[in-house]
């Protein structure tokens, strides 16, 4: 998974007001207003400036047009909001923190596995009994799972008379495949009427038939602000990884066996992150990193050792919570993220890393520094 969407947060330099809120549709407006006020009061008590708190409050709870259970992550800094994202799953309880280093680990975890897809469903259009039988309608939509569950793209519709389904199916299949190519989708999920769905599947090119997932569900129309075929997508992508991430996982397993090019455990991963050595960070979930690390929040100068390593992209580390430190280091060094259920991969401290290059003991520059 690409973490570039978090770059804008760290660009501001902090300090940050960071909030995770339950903004589910079943929360009444008075209750939401009360909780929003409590979050703001908590930030003020922690030393947040008024402009930053006001900026965060202005967008908190502004996603009530989204149906069902969901949450919201907001990060504000220096009087402006630098990130606001809808969460498919609300937090267990509202959280607010004014800190030099925002904890974006919960947000990153909710973006995984980040699979690009196209969902399509075919259904009939009913008519009153005295009239002739209804026609057909195909709805299709591109997205990135699971974030698109609460941030869906445009839902495209095609329809026609029942007698014209043979020609209509060919056109619909072409439009679905075109959308999949344009959005770099990895898979197409088809649902709806069985015979019509199978006809669509048969008309897709072979490359898409190999990546096809079928479901008996309809999923249309989607509730306000929710993805088309959300339940079917949840079932299809449960425990799945992107194609590229599956390859990274296989490579990590192979390298871990050979004990070269991969590390695991908090200390080893942090050491590699400091040297900008990590190409992909692996997390085994559920993740439990309660301890604190030394992490530079961006405002203080680097240690002399870190200054010497600066040409190599090394990060300075000072006081900070471990999850916030790890995700920041991954973002700043351009590392990718692979989130794997613990049943598929067990890691020491829940952390592992694929390395870009040899360790310091094999690099003359670092070896010389270690001898000093």
């Amino acid at each position: 998974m690409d973490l570039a969407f978090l770059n804008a947060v760290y660009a501001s330099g902090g300090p940050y007001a960071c909030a995770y809120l339950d903004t589910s549709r079943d929360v009444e407006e008075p209750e939401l207003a009360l909780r929003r006020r409590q979050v703001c009061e908590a930030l003020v008590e922690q030393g947040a400036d008024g402009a930053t708190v006001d900026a965060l409050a202005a967008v908190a709870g502004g996603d009530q047009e989204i149906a069902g259970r969901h949450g919201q992550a907001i990060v504000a800094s220096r009087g402006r909001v630098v990130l606001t994202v809808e969460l498919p799953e609300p937090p267990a309880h509202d959280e607010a923190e004014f800190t030099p280093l925002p904890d974006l680990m919960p947000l990153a975890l909710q973006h995984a596995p980040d699979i690009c897809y196209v969902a399509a469903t075919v259904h009939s259009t009913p008519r009153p009994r005295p009239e002739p039988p209804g026609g057909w309608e195909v709805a299709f939509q591109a997205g990135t799972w699971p974030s698109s569950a609460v941030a869906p793209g445009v839902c495209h519709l095609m329809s026609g008379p029942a007698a014209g389904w043979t020609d209509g199916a060919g056109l619909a299949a072409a439009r679905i495949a075109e959308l999949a190519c344009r959005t770099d989708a990895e898979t197409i999920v088809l649902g709806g009427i069985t015979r019509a769905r199978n006809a669509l599947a048969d008309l897709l090119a072979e490359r898409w038939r190999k990546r096809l997932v079928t479901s008996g569900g309809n999923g249309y129309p989607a509730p306000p602000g929710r993805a088309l075929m959300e339940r079917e997508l949840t079932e299809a992508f449960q425990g799945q990884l992107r194609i590229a991430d599956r390859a990274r996982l296989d490579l990590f397993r192979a390298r871990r066996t050979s004990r070269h090019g991969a590390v695991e455990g908090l200390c080893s991963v942090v050491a590699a992150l400091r040297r900008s050595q990590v190409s992909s960070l692996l997390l085994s979930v559920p993740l439990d990193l309660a301890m604190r690390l030394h992490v530079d929040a961006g405002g203080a100068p680097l240690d002399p050792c870190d200054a010497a390593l600066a040409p190599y992209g090394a990060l300075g580390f000072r006081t900070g919570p471990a999850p916030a430190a790890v995700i920041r280091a991954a973002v700043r060094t351009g590392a990718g993220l692979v989130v794997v259920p613990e049943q598929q991969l067990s890691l020491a401290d829940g952390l592992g890393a694929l390395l870009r290059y040899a360790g310091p003991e094999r690099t003359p520059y670092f070896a010389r520094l270690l001898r000093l």
Side-chain angles (χ1 to χ4, degrees):
M1 181 173 73
D2 188 0
L3 295 173
F5 72 100
L6 298 177
N7 274 324
V9 175
Y10 302 108
S12 71
Y16 302 91
C18 184
Y20 289 92
L21 307 172
D22 182 349
T23 53
S24 300
R25 189 66 174 269
D26 56 4
V27 177
E28 297 294 334
E29 182 60 34
E31 179 186 349
L32 183 60
L34 174 62
R35 287 165 37 197
R36 185 166 50 226
R37 185 167 63 251
Q38 291 172 339
V39 163
C40 293
E41 290 172 353
L43 291 171
V44 171
E45 290 174 0
Q46 296 174 50
D49 60 281
T52 299
V53 173
D54 290 343
L56 187 147
V59 299
D63 57 353
Q64 285 296 288
E65 73 282 358
I66 301 175
R69 297 180 69 253
H70 62 278
Q72 191 178 30
I74 310 170
V75 184
S77 178
R78 304 185 181 188
R80 65 186 184 91
V81 174
V82 294
L83 183 73
T84 175
V85 179
E86 316 310 329
L87 302 174
E89 288 294 327
H93 52 81
D94 293 345
E95 301 177 18
E97 186 177 18
F98 186 62
T99 174
L101 188 63
D103 184 7
L104 301 183
M105 183 67 80
L107 175 57
L109 290 176
Q110 287 224 28
H111 265 70
D114 212 37
I115 298 174
C116 294
Y117 69 90
V118 168
T121 178
V122 55
H123 51 276
S124 60
T125 53
R127 294 184 181 179
R129 282 188 176 274
E131 297 186 17
W136 56 269
E137 186 173 64
V138 176
F140 53 104
Q141 182 182 68
T144 304
W145 188 259
S147 55
S148 58
V150 289
V154 176
C155 185
H156 305 272
L157 293 175
M158 294 181 62
S159 60
W165 169 242
T166 302
D167 295 332
L171 182 58
R175 291 277 303 278
I176 291 168
E178 178 190 2
L179 180 61
C181 290
R182 191 168 69 245
T183 57
D184 292 325
E186 292 190 1
T187 186
I188 294 175
V189 181
L190 282 183
I193 302 171
T194 303
R195 289 182 60 186
R197 180 193 69 208
N198 292 342
L200 278 178
D202 291 340
L203 291 167
L204 290 171
E206 183 179 1
R207 61 170 293 200
W208 294 117
R209 292 202 301 272
K210 290 180 178 179
R211 303 181 184 183
L212 193 63
V213 177
T214 58
S215 170
N218 187 329
Y220 181 83
R226 310 294 299 209
L228 180 71
M229 296 176 63
E230 183 178 349
R231 181 180 62 82
E232 291 78 12
L233 292 170
T234 301
E235 296 173 355
F237 297 137
Q238 183 69 35
Q240 298 297 312
L241 297 176
R242 295 195 312 172
I243 294 173
D245 288 347
R246 289 202 297 268
R248 294 185 181 101
L249 178 58
D250 291 341
L251 181 59
F252 176 84
R253 285 172 171 148
R255 287 185 175 182
R256 182 167 66 169
T257 301
S258 66
R259 298 185 179 181
H260 178 72
V263 296
E264 65 177 296
L266 185 60
C267 293
S268 297
V269 170
V270 166
L273 284 168
R274 290 191 66 189
R275 297 189 294 266
S276 298
Q277 194 179 4
V278 176
S279 64
S280 294
L281 179 68
L282 285 82
L283 301 181
S284 179
V285 292
L287 186 67
D288 183 17
L289 286 178
M291 61 186 300
R292 295 178 70 81
L293 285 177
H294 290 295
V295 58
D296 170 29
L302 294 174
D303 292 333
C305 175
D306 294 321
L309 300 178
Y312 289 78
L315 294 176
F317 282 75
R318 291 180 176 81
T319 303
V326 168
I327 201 68
R328 167 190 176 265
V331 173
R332 287 195 57 193
T333 58
L337 178 67
V338 181
V339 180
V340 187
E342 190 176 23
Q343 298 85 346
Q344 297 184 30
L345 180 69
S346 180
L347 296 168
D349 301 321
L351 289 176
L354 277 171
L355 305 184
R356 291 189 173 107
Y357 56 86
E361 70 282 356
R362 296 182 175 86
T363 307
Y365 178 83
F366 285 104
R368 178 174 58 81
L369 287 178
L370 291 172
R371 289 196 299 268
L372 296 178

